[in-house]
Amino acid sequence: MTKPHSEALCDAVVTLYETGDLDDERLKWLIDADGDVAEALFAHAQRRRQQWYGRDVYKRGLIEFTNYCRNDCYYCGIRASNRCVERYRLTHDEILTCCRVGYELGFRTFVLQGGEDLSFKDDELCALIRDIKAMHGDCAITLSIGERSHASYEALFAAGADRYLLRHETANAEHYARLHPSSLSLAHRKACLFDLKSIGFQVGSGFMVGSPGQTVDYLVEDLRFLQALGPAMIGIGPFIPHRETPFCDEPAGSLKRTLNLVAILRLMFPKALIPSTTALGTIDPNGRELGLKAGANVVMPNLSPVEYRKKYTLYDGKICMGEEAAQCVGCLRRRVEKAGFDLVVARGDTQVDGYEARR
Ligand code: 5AD
Ligand code: FES
C-alpha cells in the first residue's frame, strides 16, 4: 500500500484518540510515523494521559533480588548458559532493608524482580510478602518472577502480592520460538497471564521493540494480544544486545518506534500504567523524558544494593549501575520535573475515576 499523506494519518491519530482503536493497516503506519504525524500522536497521547493521571508520574522501587535463572532466553544477559555472570541472591533481610530505604525515599510500590530461581519456594516468598506488608501496609507489592504454577500464583496473591509483571515478549508463536529455546512456549506464557488475571492480580505485560526477527506485523499482533488480555500495566522498551548472548551482534531497537508505540499504547489503553523504561534511557540519554512526553506515566528506579547491580545486566550499557537509590531518585526527580511532570508519593493503582474528577 502506498503511504497515505500526512493529513490522512493525522486523521488516523484522531480516530485512535476518539475510539481507542484503529485498523491494522493504519496502526502500522503510525508505528513508523514521523514529522507532523508523530507530533500529533504524542500530543493526543499527552491529552489522554492528562485526563486520567494529570501530570503525575509514579515511581516503582525495583529490587532485583536474584539473578539465578533456569531459562535461557536468547536475548537476556542473565540466561542460564551465561557462565560469565556471578550469581547472587539477596537475603530476606537485605530485601527488607531495600524496602525500608525505599519507603523513606517515598516509594509506595516495590517490585520484586528476579530470574526464574526455583530455590525461592512459595513459603519463603509468601513470608517475605507478609513481612513487607506488615512493615509497609500502605505499599503495593509487584512480583516479576516469571512463569510459575497456578497454585504458586494463588499462594503469592493470598500472601498479599498485588501486581504481577510478565511480559509476553512477542505475541507471534514463530517469533517467540526465535527468541526462546523450545522449553518455553507462547501458549504457556499466555496461559500464565490469564491465570494471574483470574486470580486477581493487577497484571502487566509487554514486549521488546526491535527484538531480532520482529516485523511491524508482529507489533500489531502484540497490540491485539494486549487488547485481548486487558492489562493494568504495559511495559515496553527497546531490545538492546548483550555481549554474552546469541544476539550479541544484533542491532538495538529504535528510539522512534518505541516512542510511537508508547503513544499508541496510551491511546489504546487510556488508563494503563506505562513505564518509561530503563532500556529507553539506555539507548538515548533523554529517552525516559521522551517516553513520558509520549504518554508514559511510571518510572522504575533501582533500589537494589549497588554492589549487586552489575550482576543484573540484562543488556549492555544499562544506566544507573553505580548510583545509590537516593541518588537515582534525586536524578529522576530532576529529569521528571524538567520534562514538565510531578514525581508523586503514591501507590499509583490504575484509575477508575478520571484525574479531573478526583480533584
Ligand atoms: N534488551 C532489552 N530488554 C531486555 N529484557 C531482557 N533482555 C533484554 C535485552 N537484551 C527485558 C525482557 C524482560 C524484561 C525483564 O527485560 O522484556 O521481560
Ligand atoms: Fe539513576 Fe539518573 S536515574 S542515576
Side-chain angles (χ1 to χ4, degrees):
M1 196 177 119
T2 52
K3 185 175 176 175
H5 53 79
S6 74
E7 219 169 288
L9 288 173
C10 286
D11 288 349
V13 171
V14 174
T15 304
L16 180 58
Y17 174 79
E18 285 172 352
T19 67
D21 205 359
L22 204 61
D23 56 87
D24 292 359
E25 217 43 55
R26 286 188 295 170
L27 275 175
K28 283 191 253 173
W29 287 115
L30 293 189
I31 288 170
D32 287 320
D34 46 25
D36 290 355
V37 183
E39 287 312 314
L41 189 58
F42 299 146
H44 283 79
Q46 281 283 30
R47 203 181 304 165
R48 190 52 88 213
R49 150 258 168 71
Q50 171 73 29
Q51 175 200 357
W52 289 100
Y53 293 101
R55 305 210 138 273
D56 292 357
V57 172
Y58 303 113
K59 54 186 186 289
R60 317 298 197 195
L62 186 64
I63 303 170
E64 298 159 336
F65 70 100
T66 173
N67 70 353
Y68 281 85
C69 192
R70 65 171 159 159
N71 289 336
D72 218 12
C73 309
Y74 303 142
Y75 45 83
C76 181
I78 62 166
R79 62 201 299 267
S81 59
N82 184 1
R83 308 274 167 230
C84 305
V85 181
E86 219 183 294
R87 304 286 166 171
Y88 73 88
R89 290 185 182 100
L90 299 191
T91 64
H92 190 97
D93 287 343
E94 282 176 315
I95 297 170
L96 292 183
T97 301
C98 291
C99 295
R100 217 171 281 125
V101 170
Y103 192 88
E104 289 304 311
L105 291 170
F107 287 89
R108 295 297 179 266
T109 292
F110 301 114
V111 182
L112 301 181
Q113 187 175 83
E116 289 194 14
D117 180 354
L118 295 180
S119 86
F120 273 96
K121 305 276 182 244
D122 292 344
D123 287 354
E124 196 175 345
L125 288 168
C126 288
L128 184 61
I129 291 162
R130 280 193 291 267
D131 283 353
I132 296 173
K133 282 282 179 172
M135 272 170 38
H136 306 297
D138 55 342
C139 292
I141 298 179
T142 305
L143 301 175
S144 176
I145 51 178
E147 297 182 7
R148 297 175 79 92
S149 67
H150 180 86
S152 174
Y153 288 153
E154 271 195 330
L156 297 167
F157 186 71
D162 304 273
R163 309 183 186 140
Y164 206 104
L165 301 177
L166 182 64
R167 290 189 181 177
H168 66 278
E169 311 295 359
T170 172
N172 178 280
E174 273 165 42
H175 188 217
Y176 197 92
R178 163 119 201 242
L179 303 179
H180 303 95
S182 58
S183 51
L184 292 169
S185 76
L186 177 61
H188 192 257
R189 179 63 55 105
K190 285 183 177 177
C192 285
L193 284 161
F194 285 104
D195 215 15
L196 287 160
K197 210 178 161 190
S198 73
I199 288 168
F201 282 101
Q202 293 173 43
V203 171
S205 199
F207 53 89
M208 290 176 287
V209 179
S211 57
Q214 185 179 65
T215 63
V216 71
D217 291 277
Y218 292 170
L219 287 167
V220 173
E221 288 185 53
D222 288 320
L223 298 174
R224 298 299 177 212
F225 169 69
L226 291 170
Q227 284 180 318
L229 177 67
M233 305 164 284
I234 305 171
I236 68 166
F239 159 77
I240 302 172
H242 183 289
R243 64 199 175 285
E244 283 135 8
T245 63
F247 291 156
C248 55
D249 294 325
E250 299 287 339
S254 92
L255 175 70
K256 190 169 101 67
R257 257 200 185 177
T258 310
L259 294 173
N260 288 359
L261 279 158
V262 166
I264 290 168
L265 287 168
R266 171 58 63 210
L267 293 173
M268 290 180 96
F269 304 92
K271 291 188 264 183
L273 291 147
I274 303 177
S276 198
T277 52
T278 305
L280 200 45
T282 298
I283 57 161
D284 188 294
N286 209 20
R288 283 169 302 176
E289 291 86 330
L290 293 170
L292 295 173
K293 290 180 181 170
N297 62 339
V298 169
V299 290
M300 298 178 72
N302 206 318
L303 287 181
S304 312
V306 170
E307 62 267 33
Y308 297 110
R309 299 260 182 100
K310 288 207 163 45
K311 298 175 186 162
Y312 203 91
T313 312
L314 306 185
Y315 47 80
D316 289 338
K318 192 172 163 202
I319 52 171
C320 303
M321 293 302 243
E323 284 77 8
E324 291 291 346
Q327 285 175 286
C328 248
V329 173
C331 167
L332 260 179
R333 171 165 302 105
R334 285 191 294 279
R335 288 169 179 270
V336 167
E337 286 172 1
K338 205 162 165 229
F341 300 97
D342 305 320
L343 196 61
V344 299
V345 176
R347 271 176 55 123
D349 292 287
T350 48
Q351 294 305 339
V352 276
D353 300 318
Y355 180 85
E356 313 296 350
R358 283 182 290 126
R359 300 271 141 163

